[in-house]
Amino acid sequence: QVQLVESGGGLVQAGGSLRLSCAASGRILSIIDMAWYRQAPGKQRELVAGLDSAGSTNYADSVKGRFTISRDNAKNTLYLQMNSLKPEDTAVYYCNGLIRDRSGRALRYWGQGTQVTVSS
């Protein structure tokens, strides 16, 4: 069993910053890739930023230059540093990971989500 738990969401004014964390725990053998998604009310869930096992990153055009994804491999923790936040960044942010467990299975897991609200 593998769990992903996000933290760090909250209410911030436009132009402010937040850092989200996603801690992976359980019977983890290796983490293949991880990403942050978000879902705003009435909209589909969208990819915000991804980080693969080689360290390559990709970002949604709407967050390029403002958000940075990173990972602490020793802690099995994924981060999303969000700067220059805008009201349109308001959403529930979800952590996603393709993780191989100790039985050798590689499955994709989701966290429970953390709310980010940006006021104008």
Side-chain angles (χ1 to χ4, degrees), residues 58-80:
N58 63 289
Y59 295 92
D61 288 343
S62 59
V63 307
K64 282 180 181 176
R66 300 188 298 122
F67 290 11
T68 303
I69 189 171
S70 62
R71 195 171 110 189
D72 184 330
N73 292 327
K75 296 181 179 179
N76 284 339
T77 300
L78 182 73
Y79 302 100
L80 185 68

Side-chain angles (χ1 to χ4, degrees), residues 77-89:
T77 300
L78 182 73
Y79 302 100
L80 185 68
Q81 178 66 44
M82 305 186 294
N83 298 327
S84 303
L85 282 161
K86 305 175 181 180
E88 50 264 44
D89 294 318

Side-chain angles (χ1 to χ4, degrees), residues 8-87:
L11 173 63
V12 63
Q13 288 188 332
S17 298
L18 283 174
R19 188 175 83 151
L20 305 183
S21 299
C22 171
S25 63
R27 295 171 50 83
I28 297 172
L29 181 62
S30 62
I31 297 177
I32 301 168
D33 64 54
M34 296 190 81
W36 288 99
Y37 287 75
R38 68 185 180 187
Q39 187 166 18
K43 295 188 176 181
Q44 289 189 336
R45 191 171 297 190
E46 63 175 355
L47 176 67
V48 176
L51 175 62
D52 67 19
S53 57
S56 297
T57 59
N58 63 289
Y59 295 92
D61 288 343
S62 59
V63 307
K64 282 180 181 176
R66 300 188 298 122
F67 290 11
T68 303
I69 189 171
S70 62
R71 195 171 110 189
D72 184 330
N73 292 327
K75 296 181 179 179
N76 284 339
T77 300
L78 182 73
Y79 302 100
L80 185 68
Q81 178 66 44
M82 305 186 294
N83 298 327
S84 303
L85 282 161
K86 305 175 181 180

